[in-house]
Amino acid sequence: MSSKGLDPEVASDSTQDGPPKQVSRFTRWYRSPLFNVIIVGLISFTQPGIWNALNSTGAGGQQEPYLVNGANSLTFGIMVFGCSAFSILANKFGVKKVLIFGTLGYAPYSASLYVNNRYGTEWFVLFGGATCGLAASALWAAEGAIALGYADVHNRGKFTGIWLGLRELGQLIGSSIQLSLNVKSGQRGKVGYSTYLILIALQCLGLPLSLLISSPHKIIHPSGRTVADPTKNKAVMKEFHKWVTLLKDRRFYLLIPILVGFNWNSTYLGIYLTKYFSVRSRTLGALTSGIAATVANIFWGWFYDLKYFSRPKLAKVTWALFSVIMLALFVWQTVNENLYEKTVPKVTLDWANPGFARGFSVNVLFRFMNESHYMFVYWILGAFFDDLETLTLAVGLMRSFESIGACLAFGIGAIKITPMINLIVAFVMFVIGIPTTFWATFLIPERPIDLRSGEGEGDNDEEEEAIKGNPGPILAAVDPVTI
């Protein structure tokens, strides 16, 4: 449905059959893609954002990383299968229902860290890891699909930036609370248990926020277009076959190595913080890491939607830049780790001590680059695939392979091997993904077509000429399951 000729003060309620009816300004805002992506961002703030705040202090704020790394390995082990399963269920039962379920399991995990910190109870941490794995599987599959699928193609960079930027608000607020409660602790150890109570309360806000999300067919788009209820006439096995076909799609399977390996260094950084930094420096690290990630989300969300560069060229240059910077960071940190490992007596990096900036800044830069990789991969998925159903399956698959890497990384982090070995493994995993990801950038189309509205993101005449003159990339963008 085209927006041409519509009164800007009139929008149609796409949930009703028959003639469109006029709706209020409030309804247009409440049902708008922007409002929904903001709510998804706030949900992400209360759930994985707070989880990140805890883990950015190193080992969930604990003194030793091994139990928490084991619980995290269990979480991501469940997500290996859970993310794809919930993406299939989301196409059958609706992304909103799956999103609501995804808000129920994070708070028990944070509560388990509180109980372990105060009373030493260990089994509850593993139980919390399991509930978090189930919830995160549902949340990750649904929130990414909403952030990408509700947006028009030309707004996907901005919407992804809003969503992930609000998620980092959780880390910023959570780590600010942690820093204020632990600012006097200049020695190594664990975070005070009172820190967890505030963070648990914040995580409980996720459920009421999820009830504000609109289903896809109820969204009122600025262009006036409508979307049919994506859950109608869906069968689980049919969606599973679509999932298998998507897995065989070259545009997706070329991304698998980087999905598995790019965030592997996060486990090492958790060990690094607990091993060498004071408590207050760890909480400062969580705060500055959140700031770095927020800057990455804002910058790349704006940059990817610019019209000054062609998408294929932008993808190639961006990935080449990322690869060079990451390799330089790994070299820098290898030198740091070698120095701290051999220092006698054991080093404690605190902001009051000399040499702190050298060891601290690399953690912040790694966090910036990890978030930049998130933005990059989501942007690629949004350039390859357009309709909500395919994006839901693609996001679920993406999260499943990312979870494989995280599960293995935290599993290695749970055994008592040297931090240097963890760092070397993270380096190798990243290097493996460089050539395949670069190959994937050559498959990005110039002008992906918005299948739901039947129009390209640019001028219609230009799109028609592009299709006539060079049908290959356009057709590749249209067919979400081309092998």
Side-chain angles (χ1 to χ4, degrees):
M1 179 177 178
S2 174
S3 61
K4 296 177 182 179
L6 286 180
D7 186 335
E9 292 299 313
V10 177
S12 62
D13 184 351
S14 59
T15 67
Q16 304 295 326
D17 295 327
K21 67 178 182 179
Q22 184 174 348
V23 296
S24 67
R25 185 185 298 272
F26 171 77
T27 302
R28 292 201 306 274
W29 167 243
Y30 176 71
R31 299 292 190 192
S32 69
L34 179 59
F35 175 82
N36 280 265
V37 81
I38 290 174
I39 295 300
V40 165
L42 292 175
I43 294 170
S44 195
F45 147 61
T46 64
Q47 306 302 302
I50 298 300
W51 187 91
N52 283 340
L54 285 170
N55 279 273
S56 292
T57 60
Q62 306 299 309
Q63 185 167 359
E64 294 293 337
Y66 307 109
L67 175 63
V68 173
N69 281 342
N72 288 340
S73 181
L74 175 61
T75 295
F76 286 103
I78 293 172
M79 291 171 65
V80 169
F81 304 98
C83 288
S84 289
F86 276 107
S87 69
I88 293 172
L89 293 175
N91 278 349
K92 170 63 178 176
F93 299 106
V95 290
K96 180 176 180 178
K97 293 178 181 178
V98 171
L99 183 73
I100 291 172
F101 180 82
T103 63
L104 303 178
Y106 279 87
Y109 172 69
S110 298
S112 73
L113 294 180
Y114 166 80
V115 172
N116 176 255
N117 185 291
R118 188 167 187 181
Y119 304 111
T121 305
E122 295 186 351
W123 69 267
F124 193 16
V125 177
L126 297 176
F127 175 80
T131 64
C132 188
L134 289 171
S137 296
L139 186 72
W140 283 22
E143 64 177 0
I146 291 173
L148 288 176
Y150 282 22
D152 292 315
V153 174
H154 61 278
N155 283 327
R156 283 182 178 161
K158 298 183 186 71
F159 274 41
T160 305
I162 291 171
W163 161 47
L164 294 179
L166 286 173
R167 183 192 68 179
E168 293 309 317
L169 185 62
Q171 180 167 337
L172 290 174
I173 294 177
S175 55
S176 297
I177 294 170
Q178 290 175 318
L179 182 59
S180 65
L181 295 176
N182 298 280
V183 68
K184 295 182 179 180
S185 183
Q187 303 299 319
R188 287 183 291 109
K190 60 184 179 180
V191 172
Y193 61 78
S194 59
T195 304
Y196 297 97
L197 298 177
I198 302 174
L199 302 183
I200 293 169
L202 288 173
Q203 285 189 317
C204 291
L205 298 175
L207 177 59
L209 283 171
S210 66
L211 301 178
L212 300 177
I213 291 293
S214 297
S215 298
H217 61 287
K218 295 181 179 180
I219 294 296
I220 300 175
H221 294 268
S223 64
R225 66 179 173 85
T226 60
V227 178
D229 185 351
T231 64
K232 286 185 177 180
N233 303 317
K234 291 294 190 303
V236 172
M237 287 307 300
K238 184 178 180 181
E239 293 303 304
F240 175 75
H241 288 307
K242 291 181 181 178
W243 177 87
V244 173
T245 304
L246 180 60
L247 181 60
K248 297 177 182 178
D249 190 325
R250 181 175 59 173
R251 290 170 295 170
F252 184 86
Y253 66 67
L254 286 174
L255 296 174
I256 290 176
I258 197 62
L259 292 176
V260 173
F262 84 84
N263 207 27
W264 196 289
N265 62 76
S266 295
T267 302
Y268 163 76
L269 292 175
I271 297 172
Y272 175 64
L273 288 172
T274 58
K275 194 84 172 177
Y276 303 119
F277 286 80
S278 66
V279 170
R280 64 180 182 181
S281 294
R282 287 163 60 184
T283 55
L284 178 64
L287 176 61
T288 54
S289 294
I291 294 173
T294 302
V295 171
N297 290 324
I298 294 173
F299 174 76
W300 294 113
W302 163 79
F303 187 73
Y304 287 143
D305 285 341
L306 290 178
K307 306 299 182 183
Y308 300 121
F309 308 97
S310 68
R311 278 191 174 89
K313 182 177 181 180
L314 181 60
K316 297 181 185 69
V317 172
T318 301
W319 180 243
L321 179 64
F322 282 4
S323 299
V324 171
I325 294 175
M326 284 295 289
L327 292 175
L329 285 177
F330 274 114
V331 172
W332 180 5
Q333 186 55 21
T334 300
V335 175
N336 283 345
E337 179 62 47
N338 184 62
L339 173 64
Y340 301 147
E341 199 174 61
K342 294 181 178 179
T343 299
V344 180
K346 191 173 182 178
V347 64
T348 298
L349 296 173
D350 184 72
W351 66 56
N353 298 336
F356 171 75
R358 170 180 175 171
F360 183 80
S361 55
V362 71
N363 175 67
V364 178
L365 292 173
F366 262 119
R367 188 70 177 87
F368 176 87
M369 291 306 302
N370 286 346
E371 196 68 18
S372 297
H373 279 78
Y374 266 119
M375 289 291 297
F376 182 70
V377 174
Y378 272 109
W379 177 70
I380 288 179
L381 289 182
F384 281 155
F385 310 114
D386 182 68
D387 62 287
L388 179 64
E389 298 166 54
T390 305
L391 281 171
T392 301
L393 297 175
V395 169
L397 265 174
M398 169 190 165
R399 294 296 201 172
S400 288
F401 283 103
E402 181 186 336
S403 297
I404 291 175
C407 177
L408 295 174
F410 280 115
I412 293 176
I415 59 179
K416 297 184 178 182
I417 60 177
T418 64
M420 181 64 83
I421 293 179
N422 275 281
L423 178 61
I424 292 173
V425 174
F427 168 74
V428 172
M429 292 302 298
F430 176 77
V431 170
I432 290 174
I434 291 177
T436 55
T437 306
F438 194 63
W439 186 1
T441 63
F442 281 88
L443 304 179
I444 292 178
E446 176 61 44
R447 295 183 179 92
I449 293 177
D450 189 338
L451 298 178
R452 296 164 298 182
S453 66
E455 297 178 358
E457 68 164 340
D459 182 78
N460 291 340
D461 294 333
E462 292 180 2
E463 292 292 352
E464 291 174 3
E465 288 299 318
I467 294 173
K468 292 175 182 178
N470 185 17
I474 299 294
L475 293 177
V478 172
D479 182 5
V481 291
T482 300
I483 298 176

